[in-house]
Every structure is written in C-alpha cells, then in structure tokens.
Amino acid sequence: MLQSKRKWIVEQETNENIERLSKELQISEVTARLLWNRGITSAEEALKFLHTEISQLHDPFLMDGMETAVNRLKEAVSNNEKVLVFGDYDADGVSSTSIMIFLLKELKAEFGWYIPNRFTEGTGQTFQLSKKRKKKGFPLSLLSIPVLLP
C-alpha cells in the first residue's frame, strides 16, 4: 500500500483565543484551531464560514463550458440516455460523485457511477475506461471533479 509522505500538522500548544472560540461556538478545540489556522479568528467570522448562504457562493456558470455541459445533461435525461458519473477515490471526489448521484436520482435519470481503483487504475478517465463505458451503453459520462474558483 502506498503511503502519503504529507501529514496534517495541528499545533497542540494551548491558545486562549482558540479556547474562547471553541467555547463561544460550542465546537471542539481541534475545529476551533483549524478555523484559527485559516485566519478565522472571531465567532462572527466562523459562523459566516460554517453557515455560508447560497447567495455567497460563486456562480457555477463562471466555469468555462458549464452551460454546454448542463444543456448536454438535460438532453441526455430527456432522451433517456444512460449517464455515467466518473468520480475520483479521494474524499472530495467521492463527495462530488455522491452529489451528482443525488442530482441524477432527483432528475429520474438512468445512470451509473464509477470510481477507479487507486492502485491499479490511477486517476483520470483513461482511453480504456472510455471504451468500456461506451461498450456498457453509457453514451455520456460526467467527470465528477470538484473545482475551486477564485
């Protein structure tokens, strides 16, 4: 098994500001410390960060190609095409895959999903996987990859 050489380092020294944040928000000191490390130093900032309003999120249509992708998905759903959600094996990849699955269920779409084996297939949608997808009757695949916008 491959092991990552990166580690999360959470300083353990006591900081009364972190203790205060923890008590004010009724959260663990570890969570308060992670917030503090992100530069979130007040209860007001923390609440805004933890309970973001949808209006504060970036418009997903700012991402190049989003309108085309949404229109293609709508077309696939209305034509009863099978859609394959192609995910990734890391935490955000699995999370974004499950969000897409939820959406497709809500749309009553015909779909499946695939998350490659980290050790034997690596990352990304390979040519071999694309051929398998088409052979299994999935004319459309969605890459379920979270994207960070500025």
Side-chain angles (χ1 to χ4, degrees), residues 22-149:
S22 170
K23 286 178 183 160
E24 283 180 26
L25 295 170
Q26 298 180 353
I27 58 175
S28 72
E29 284 193 22
V30 171
T31 303
R33 186 176 306 279
L34 291 171
L35 290 167
W36 189 269
N37 289 345
R38 288 185 70 108
I40 298 169
T41 58
S42 72
E44 182 180 286
E45 289 174 314
L47 288 171
K48 186 176 177 183
F49 176 79
L50 294 171
H51 303 286
T52 302
E53 296 291 323
I54 198 158
S55 63
Q56 295 173 303
L57 300 177
H58 291 285
D59 180 354
F61 286 91
L62 293 174
M63 189 164 39
D64 192 35
M66 179 62 81
E67 188 171 345
T68 302
V70 168
N71 289 336
R72 178 61 182 98
L73 180 57
K74 286 179 180 178
E75 178 185 322
V77 171
S78 66
N79 292 334
N80 295 319
E81 293 179 58
K82 288 171 67 176
V83 177
L84 179 68
V85 179
F86 186 88
D88 197 8
Y89 51 76
D90 59 11
D92 54 349
V94 172
S95 298
S96 62
T97 300
S98 63
I99 291 168
M100 286 303 304
I101 289 170
F102 178 80
L103 168 70
L104 292 169
K105 281 183 178 180
E106 288 292 307
L107 295 174
K108 297 185 180 7
E110 200 174 333
F111 70 95
W113 67 90
Y114 186 79
I115 297 177
N117 182 304
R118 173 183 193 164
F119 302 107
T120 60
E121 297 173 298
T123 61
Q125 185 174 13
T126 65
F127 180 71
Q128 290 82 7
L129 290 174
S130 186
K131 280 174 53 176
K132 277 187 199 176
R133 161 185 69 85
K134 288 180 182 174
K135 199 174 193 178
K136 298 256 184 199
F138 290 96
L140 178 63
S141 66
L142 301 172
L143 294 177
S144 179
I145 300 170
V147 176
L148 299 176
L149 296 174

